[in-house]
Amino acid sequence: MTSPIHVMSEIGKLKVVMLKRPDVEVENFTPDMMPRLLFDDIPYLPIAQKEHDNFADVLRQNGTEVLYLEKLSAEALDDGGEEVKQNFLQQMLAESGYIAGVTHDALKEYLLSMSTQDMVNKIMGGVRKNELDFVPADLVSAAEEDDYPFFMDPMPNLYFTRDPAASIGDGLSINHMTFAARQRESLFMETIIKYHHRFANKGLNVWRDRNHDTRIEGGDELVLSDHVLAIGVSQRTSADAIEDIAKNLFAKSHFDKVIAIKIPHNHAMMHLDTVFTMINKDQFTVHPGILGEGGHIDTWTITPGKDGELNLDHRTDLKQVLKDALGLDDLDLIPTGNGDPIIAGREQWNDGSNTLAIAPGVVVTYNRNYVSNELLRKHGLKVIDVLSSELSRGRGGPRCMSMPLVREDL
Ligand SMILES: NC(=O)NCCC[C@H](N)C(=O)O
């Protein structure tokens, strides 16, 4: 029986993927909340949903089974039973700032009065104060948070299913994410893996769980082959988390090389996959803005050392590093925006480098990045471009919006 998670590459034919259809969470906030919620604008929901449905349809038409995070989460809680649901809620409330007390109790009662699916949707969408027939009387609520409209913030970034967890081999990392706006997200995946009948007790390896202080996000985790990972040292992923997962993978799996790639630490390039993706056996997209003089960038190839320690090899020629790690004679690094500084900057901002490979040489991209798309076609790729006006406002593209669960081996 095949494992419910099986990902040995970035490019093997995509068989099963997990998405989250954007819902009220992407518009249930005010402009002043945007920076904290990691959004640059507020999408128009009906169009965002239409675009997302178009994305899901494209995947289905190409032979991919599409699962939805929101549905899996509710099913997992129902599979787990009453105690699991209560514990999940307790943990979610604690991570939302309510360990105990009257507000905790009021929220618990409110959320438990719903069907499991409605409860999950409500937690994802955010709980406003005016929904409950309850006014907290403590000083913090009265004196400091009286103007704030939410008991529980919405989670608008959930449609970027790539980040809270990452499939690696026959297992995954469940991630401790960087910013508070996203940290609760990975509790859904932890619950799915533990309790959903499709995943529970199937021998899945959790290479690193969410109970850490050091940070890692799936947009930085790229499975280049069944031996090699690339992981961004980025705004969202810290070097110590990379060392930690490398040690676990080297001890327990067939992965024996992790290439750590240092990228600028800023919002536009928050993850490695916003500037660099694998799209074929010997082809990658790269945003020229991350490469210095002569195409150089800091990379460290990490391999197993003595007694569980790690060996590091610092090199700056990305192309050569990748060729060596993957045993390739040549490699095609395709620059976002065809190297034009204005177009490259603009199309990277709109996730022109954030391609989702659904088979070797077949990629799904945003239609708005037409210069990069045309260039990919010229390099022999099959490009399926999807609608992107509203989805792109959340600052993530097709790779960010998808968590592959099963890919065919190459
Ligand atoms: N892998 C990705 O690059 N995901 C995009 C995440 C965008 C989201 N607004 C965030 O800042 O986390």
Side-chain angles (χ1 to χ4, degrees):
M1 199 189 64
T2 45
S3 168
I5 294 187
H6 182 79
V7 174
M8 300 292 174
S9 76
E10 282 291 304
I11 58 173
K13 189 168 170 42
L14 187 60
K15 301 299 292 178
V16 187
V17 74
M18 187 180 73
L19 310 182
K20 160 76 176 85
R21 188 172 193 255
D23 209 329
V24 290
E25 66 276 359
V26 304
E27 59 172 17
N28 195 16
F29 53 89
T30 52
D32 57 315
M33 293 170 71
M34 290 189 322
R36 191 164 48 79
L37 294 182
L38 310 169
F39 260 58
D40 295 309
D41 203 349
I42 301 180
Y44 176 38
L45 181 59
I47 304 296
Q49 289 181 325
K50 212 178 257 180
E51 292 175 356
H52 196 270
D53 291 343
N54 165 243
F55 177 50
D57 283 343
V58 160
L59 297 176
R60 286 189 200 98
Q61 283 153 14
N62 284 276
T64 304
E65 181 187 6
V66 176
L67 305 177
Y68 285 94
L69 172 74
E70 56 276 36
K71 189 156 178 274
L72 292 177
S73 300
E75 287 169 354
L77 292 173
D78 284 338
D79 285 347
E82 199 46 42
E83 197 183 329
V84 166
K85 190 169 164 182
Q86 294 267 350
N87 290 343
F88 165 83
L89 195 52
Q90 185 65 26
Q91 185 65 26
M92 185 56 83
L93 288 171
E95 294 188 23
S96 305
Y98 307 100
I99 293 176
V102 280
T103 310
H104 163 276
D105 295 349
L107 283 166
K108 191 168 175 184
E109 191 185 324
Y110 177 59
L111 291 166
L112 284 176
S113 71
M114 302 173 188
S115 71
T116 311
Q117 187 66 67
D118 288 350
M119 180 186 94
V120 165
N121 295 347
K122 176 54 73 183
I123 292 169
M124 293 176 164
V127 181
R128 291 200 201 182
K129 287 183 177 165
N130 63 8
E131 289 176 56
L132 272 72
D133 191 14
F134 162 79
V135 181
D138 59 287
L139 186 61
V140 173
S141 308
E144 288 179 351
E145 293 174 358
D146 51 327
D147 287 342
Y148 194 66
F150 290 96
F151 279 129
M152 294 172 75
D153 275 350
M155 302 186 208
N157 295 292
L158 275 170
Y159 75 96
F160 301 119
T161 51
R162 178 68 64 161
D163 302 321
S167 303
I168 302 173
D170 286 342
L172 74 169
S173 66
I174 304 177
N175 296 334
H176 173 72
M177 303 183 76
T178 295
F179 291 112
R182 301 204 65 180
Q183 281 170 349
R184 293 174 299 166
E185 290 181 25
S186 57
L187 186 55
F188 292 109
M189 202 57 205
E190 184 186 77
T191 305
I192 290 168
I193 293 305
K194 275 193 187 160
Y195 303 110
H196 193 284
H197 56 270
R198 186 172 178 135
F199 302 94
N201 307 314
K202 297 280 164 59
L204 291 175
N205 293 292
V206 178
W207 307 120
R208 190 180 133 98
D209 65 24
R210 68 192 293 272
N211 304 313
H212 284 86
D213 294 328
T214 58
R215 319 167 280 111
I216 188 164
E217 300 193 1
D220 282 308
E221 301 172 82
L222 273 62
V223 182
L224 302 187
S225 77
D226 56 359
H227 283 267
V228 185
L229 299 186
I231 308 187
V233 184
S234 71
Q235 185 194 59
R236 304 297 177 84
T237 294
S238 56
D240 43 12
I242 299 176
E243 288 189 332
D244 181 50
I245 196 167
K247 282 184 186 164
N248 293 342
L249 285 164
F250 295 163
K252 297 182 200 145
S253 79
H254 41 80
F255 291 96
D256 51 20
K257 201 166 275 183
V258 172
I259 306 171
I261 303 178
K262 186 173 173 186
I263 60 168
H265 290 29
N266 63 46
H267 187 48
M269 304 183 193
M270 72 207 89
H271 297 118
L272 183 59
D273 71 358
T274 64
V275 287
F276 174 80
T277 47
M278 186 173 191
I279 52 180
N280 204 350
K281 287 181 181 143
D282 53 0
Q283 290 180 300
F284 291 78
T285 62
V286 66
H287 173 50
I290 65 165
L291 303 174
E293 194 84 351
H296 288 266
I297 182 169
D298 283 315
T299 75
W300 291 264
T301 299
I302 309 173
T303 47
K306 261 202 206 138
D307 303 325
E309 289 305 309
L310 301 172
N311 290 331
L312 299 187
D313 181 19
H314 176 236
R315 291 163 65 187
T316 60
D317 182 348
L318 180 64
K319 196 167 178 177
Q320 195 58 46
V321 167
L322 293 168
K323 275 165 47 179
D324 291 349
L326 299 173
L328 297 169
D329 292 334
D330 203 6
L331 183 146
D332 187 16
L333 277 184
I334 306 172
T336 317
N338 205 4
D340 178 302
I342 301 290
I343 299 170
R346 183 187 79 226
E347 294 205 348
Q348 188 280 328
W349 175 247
N350 289 314
D351 285 285
S353 305
N354 191 261
T355 54
L356 170 68
I358 57 169
V362 184
V363 290
V364 179
T365 62
Y366 275 164
N367 61 352
R368 64 188 306 152
N369 298 315
Y370 48 88
V371 176
S372 302
N373 290 344
E374 209 34 54
L375 187 64
L376 292 175
R377 291 188 177 106
K378 281 198 183 124
H379 282 248
L381 280 296
K382 179 175 175 192
V383 179
I384 307 171
D385 49 12
V386 296
L387 305 172
S388 55
S389 292
E390 297 303 306
L391 292 175
S392 57
R393 294 181 199 266
R395 289 277 80 69
R399 188 182 188 274
C400 306
M401 290 194 298
S402 54
M403 180 190 180
L405 295 170
V406 180
R407 284 187 185 270
E408 251 172 40
D409 289 345
L410 293 174

mmCIF file of all heavy atoms in Angstrom, residues 37-39 157 160 162-163 182 217 219 236 267 270-271 273-274 354 394-396 400, ligand 1:
data_model
loop_
_atom_site.group_PDB
_atom_site.id
_atom_site.type_symbol
_atom_site.label_atom_id
_atom_site.label_comp_id
_atom_site.label_asym_id
_atom_site.label_seq_id
_atom_site.Cartn_x
_atom_site.Cartn_y
_atom_site.Cartn_z
ATOM 1 N N LEU A 37 -0.941 40.687 9.729
ATOM 2 C CA LEU A 37 -1.473 39.446 9.158
ATOM 3 C C LEU A 37 -0.722 39.031 7.883
ATOM 4 O O LEU A 37 -1.110 38.074 7.213
ATOM 5 C CB LEU A 37 -2.974 39.587 8.874
ATOM 6 C CG LEU A 37 -3.861 39.746 10.114
ATOM 7 C CD1 LEU A 37 -5.330 39.819 9.715
ATOM 8 C CD2 LEU A 37 -3.656 38.603 11.106
ATOM 9 N N LEU A 38 0.308 39.762 7.542
ATOM 10 C CA LEU A 38 1.192 39.398 6.424
ATOM 11 C C LEU A 38 0.487 39.479 5.077
ATOM 12 O O LEU A 38 0.775 38.693 4.157
ATOM 13 C CB LEU A 38 1.794 37.991 6.638
ATOM 14 C CG LEU A 38 2.436 37.760 8.019
ATOM 15 C CD1 LEU A 38 2.746 36.271 8.235
ATOM 16 C CD2 LEU A 38 3.717 38.572 8.153
ATOM 17 N N PHE A 39 -0.475 40.381 4.968
ATOM 18 C CA PHE A 39 -1.153 40.622 3.697
ATOM 19 C C PHE A 39 -0.838 42.046 3.238
ATOM 20 O O PHE A 39 -0.662 42.940 4.067
ATOM 21 C CB PHE A 39 -2.680 40.472 3.865
ATOM 22 C CG PHE A 39 -3.195 39.143 3.394
ATOM 23 C CD1 PHE A 39 -2.716 37.967 3.947
ATOM 24 C CD2 PHE A 39 -4.132 39.063 2.369
ATOM 25 C CE1 PHE A 39 -3.168 36.729 3.503
ATOM 26 C CE2 PHE A 39 -4.595 37.832 1.923
ATOM 27 C CZ PHE A 39 -4.116 36.668 2.480
ATOM 28 N N ASN A 157 -3.813 33.507 5.843
ATOM 29 C CA ASN A 157 -2.752 32.856 5.053
ATOM 30 C C ASN A 157 -2.942 31.355 4.884
ATOM 31 O O ASN A 157 -2.083 30.686 4.313
ATOM 32 C CB ASN A 157 -1.390 33.125 5.712
ATOM 33 C CG ASN A 157 -1.049 34.603 5.674
ATOM 34 O OD1 ASN A 157 -0.814 35.152 4.608
ATOM 35 N ND2 ASN A 157 -1.066 35.248 6.831
ATOM 36 N N PHE A 160 -2.246 29.335 1.732
ATOM 37 C CA PHE A 160 -0.866 28.962 1.392
ATOM 38 C C PHE A 160 -0.502 27.697 2.163
ATOM 39 O O PHE A 160 0.263 27.709 3.124
ATOM 40 C CB PHE A 160 0.084 30.117 1.682
ATOM 41 C CG PHE A 160 -0.277 31.361 0.919
ATOM 42 C CD1 PHE A 160 -0.615 32.533 1.555
ATOM 43 C CD2 PHE A 160 -0.318 31.333 -0.474
ATOM 44 C CE1 PHE A 160 -0.979 33.663 0.834
ATOM 45 C CE2 PHE A 160 -0.692 32.456 -1.207
ATOM 46 C CZ PHE A 160 -1.019 33.617 -0.550
ATOM 47 N N ARG A 162 1.315 25.369 1.615
ATOM 48 C CA ARG A 162 2.699 24.918 1.505
ATOM 49 C C ARG A 162 3.485 25.098 2.793
ATOM 50 O O ARG A 162 4.409 24.333 3.070
ATOM 51 C CB ARG A 162 3.369 25.730 0.383
ATOM 52 C CG ARG A 162 4.811 25.443 0.161
ATOM 53 C CD ARG A 162 5.033 24.063 -0.385
ATOM 54 N NE ARG A 162 4.455 23.877 -1.696
ATOM 55 C CZ ARG A 162 4.830 22.880 -2.519
ATOM 56 N NH1 ARG A 162 5.743 22.001 -2.157
ATOM 57 N NH2 ARG A 162 4.239 22.750 -3.692
ATOM 58 N N ASP A 163 3.115 26.122 3.578
ATOM 59 C CA ASP A 163 4.047 26.575 4.609
ATOM 60 C C ASP A 163 3.943 25.926 5.992
ATOM 61 O O ASP A 163 4.973 25.673 6.618
ATOM 62 C CB ASP A 163 3.942 28.102 4.736
ATOM 63 C CG ASP A 163 4.239 28.787 3.409
ATOM 64 O OD1 ASP A 163 5.153 28.325 2.710
ATOM 65 O OD2 ASP A 163 3.559 29.774 3.065
ATOM 66 N N ARG A 182 0.682 33.280 11.794
ATOM 67 C CA ARG A 182 0.581 31.983 11.138
ATOM 68 C C ARG A 182 0.835 30.798 12.078
ATOM 69 O O ARG A 182 0.664 29.646 11.653
ATOM 70 C CB ARG A 182 1.559 31.907 9.944
ATOM 71 C CG ARG A 182 1.315 32.974 8.889
ATOM 72 C CD ARG A 182 1.829 32.572 7.519
ATOM 73 N NE ARG A 182 1.121 31.432 6.966
ATOM 74 C CZ ARG A 182 1.384 30.876 5.776
ATOM 75 N NH1 ARG A 182 2.338 31.379 5.037
ATOM 76 N NH2 ARG A 182 0.706 29.841 5.334
ATOM 77 N N GLU A 217 9.597 27.001 7.636
ATOM 78 C CA GLU A 217 8.332 27.050 6.889
ATOM 79 C C GLU A 217 8.508 26.318 5.558
ATOM 80 O O GLU A 217 9.593 26.320 4.961
ATOM 81 C CB GLU A 217 7.886 28.510 6.689
ATOM 82 C CG GLU A 217 7.682 29.209 8.043
ATOM 83 C CD GLU A 217 6.951 30.546 7.979
ATOM 84 O OE1 GLU A 217 6.562 30.981 6.872
ATOM 85 O OE2 GLU A 217 6.760 31.151 9.054
ATOM 86 N N GLY A 219 7.655 26.830 2.537
ATOM 87 C CA GLY A 219 8.098 27.531 1.338
ATOM 88 C C GLY A 219 9.609 27.518 1.181
ATOM 89 O O GLY A 219 10.141 27.761 0.095
ATOM 90 N N ARG A 236 11.940 33.421 7.208
ATOM 91 C CA ARG A 236 11.042 32.498 7.889
ATOM 92 C C ARG A 236 11.700 31.219 8.417
ATOM 93 O O ARG A 236 11.070 30.486 9.186
ATOM 94 C CB ARG A 236 9.906 32.097 6.946
ATOM 95 C CG ARG A 236 9.121 33.264 6.375
ATOM 96 C CD ARG A 236 8.403 34.038 7.487
ATOM 97 N NE ARG A 236 7.714 35.198 6.930
ATOM 98 C CZ ARG A 236 6.506 35.142 6.383
ATOM 99 N NH1 ARG A 236 5.859 34.011 6.329
ATOM 100 N NH2 ARG A 236 5.962 36.233 5.899
ATOM 101 N N HIS A 267 9.962 40.739 3.084
ATOM 102 C CA HIS A 267 8.621 40.181 2.892
ATOM 103 C C HIS A 267 8.400 39.668 1.461
ATOM 104 O O HIS A 267 7.784 38.621 1.258
ATOM 105 C CB HIS A 267 7.555 41.216 3.264
ATOM 106 C CG HIS A 267 6.160 40.654 3.249
ATOM 107 N ND1 HIS A 267 5.828 39.461 3.860
ATOM 108 C CD2 HIS A 267 5.021 41.099 2.682
ATOM 109 C CE1 HIS A 267 4.545 39.207 3.671
ATOM 110 N NE2 HIS A 267 4.029 40.187 2.956
ATOM 111 N N MET A 270 10.110 36.163 1.143
ATOM 112 C CA MET A 270 10.096 35.555 2.478
ATOM 113 C C MET A 270 10.568 34.116 2.516
ATOM 114 O O MET A 270 11.108 33.655 3.514
ATOM 115 C CB MET A 270 8.693 35.655 3.058
ATOM 116 C CG MET A 270 7.720 34.719 2.371
ATOM 117 S SD MET A 270 6.039 35.267 2.408
ATOM 118 C CE MET A 270 5.922 36.244 0.954
ATOM 119 N N HIS A 271 10.316 33.363 1.421
ATOM 120 C CA HIS A 271 10.706 31.943 1.373
ATOM 121 C C HIS A 271 11.563 31.684 0.132
ATOM 122 O O HIS A 271 11.402 32.367 -0.882
ATOM 123 C CB HIS A 271 9.465 31.050 1.240
ATOM 124 C CG HIS A 271 8.512 31.102 2.388
ATOM 125 N ND1 HIS A 271 7.211 31.539 2.262
ATOM 126 C CD2 HIS A 271 8.668 30.753 3.687
ATOM 127 C CE1 HIS A 271 6.603 31.450 3.438
ATOM 128 N NE2 HIS A 271 7.461 30.988 4.314
ATOM 129 N N ASP A 273 11.054 29.516 -2.056
ATOM 130 C CA ASP A 273 10.255 29.264 -3.262
ATOM 131 C C ASP A 273 9.653 30.530 -3.874
ATOM 132 O O ASP A 273 8.976 30.463 -4.903
ATOM 133 C CB ASP A 273 9.169 28.198 -3.011
ATOM 134 C CG ASP A 273 8.030 28.676 -2.119
ATOM 135 O OD1 ASP A 273 8.057 29.826 -1.635
ATOM 136 O OD2 ASP A 273 7.088 27.879 -1.902
ATOM 137 N N THR A 274 9.882 31.691 -3.255
ATOM 138 C CA THR A 274 9.479 32.929 -3.915
ATOM 139 C C THR A 274 10.560 33.419 -4.881
ATOM 140 O O THR A 274 10.325 34.354 -5.648
ATOM 141 C CB THR A 274 9.178 34.068 -2.900
ATOM 142 O OG1 THR A 274 10.381 34.382 -2.198
ATOM 143 C CG2 THR A 274 8.106 33.672 -1.906
ATOM 144 N N ASN A 354 7.444 31.548 -8.448
ATOM 145 C CA ASN A 354 6.803 30.564 -7.579
ATOM 146 C C ASN A 354 5.956 29.588 -8.401
ATOM 147 O O ASN A 354 4.731 29.594 -8.355
ATOM 148 C CB ASN A 354 5.941 31.293 -6.537
ATOM 149 C CG ASN A 354 5.462 30.356 -5.461
ATOM 150 O OD1 ASN A 354 4.338 29.886 -5.499
ATOM 151 N ND2 ASN A 354 6.319 30.044 -4.512
ATOM 152 N N GLY A 394 -2.250 38.023 -1.603
ATOM 153 C CA GLY A 394 -1.747 37.431 -0.352
ATOM 154 C C GLY A 394 -0.253 37.176 -0.374
ATOM 155 O O GLY A 394 0.311 36.708 0.600
ATOM 156 N N ARG A 395 0.401 37.495 -1.499
ATOM 157 C CA ARG A 395 1.853 37.345 -1.690
ATOM 158 C C ARG A 395 2.318 35.895 -1.715
ATOM 159 O O ARG A 395 3.283 35.516 -1.058
ATOM 160 C CB ARG A 395 2.681 38.082 -0.619
ATOM 161 C CG ARG A 395 2.700 39.570 -0.666
ATOM 162 C CD ARG A 395 3.718 40.133 -1.646
ATOM 163 N NE ARG A 395 3.206 40.091 -3.009
ATOM 164 C CZ ARG A 395 2.198 40.845 -3.473
ATOM 165 N NH1 ARG A 395 1.598 41.709 -2.724
ATOM 166 N NH2 ARG A 395 1.805 40.736 -4.716
ATOM 167 N N GLY A 396 1.608 35.091 -2.503
ATOM 168 C CA GLY A 396 2.069 33.721 -2.714
ATOM 169 C C GLY A 396 1.513 33.224 -4.026
ATOM 170 O O GLY A 396 0.452 33.670 -4.473
ATOM 171 N N CYS A 400 3.131 28.052 -3.388
ATOM 172 C CA CYS A 400 2.713 28.372 -2.012
ATOM 173 C C CYS A 400 1.305 27.852 -1.722
ATOM 174 O O CYS A 400 0.994 27.506 -0.589
ATOM 175 C CB CYS A 400 2.676 29.877 -1.786
ATOM 176 S SG CYS A 400 4.167 30.753 -2.184
HETATM 177 N N1 LIG B 1 5.643 29.675 0.245
HETATM 178 C C1 LIG B 1 5.288 30.947 0.209
HETATM 179 O O1 LIG B 1 6.046 31.804 -0.225
HETATM 180 N N2 LIG B 1 4.120 31.287 0.743
HETATM 181 C C2 LIG B 1 3.549 32.579 0.668
HETATM 182 C C3 LIG B 1 3.065 33.036 1.996
HETATM 183 C C4 LIG B 1 2.456 34.415 1.958
HETATM 184 C C5 LIG B 1 1.917 34.873 3.298
HETATM 185 N N3 LIG B 1 1.226 36.113 3.166
HETATM 186 C C6 LIG B 1 3.026 35.019 4.308
HETATM 187 O O2 LIG B 1 3.569 36.120 4.423
HETATM 188 O O3 LIG B 1 3.347 34.060 5.012
#
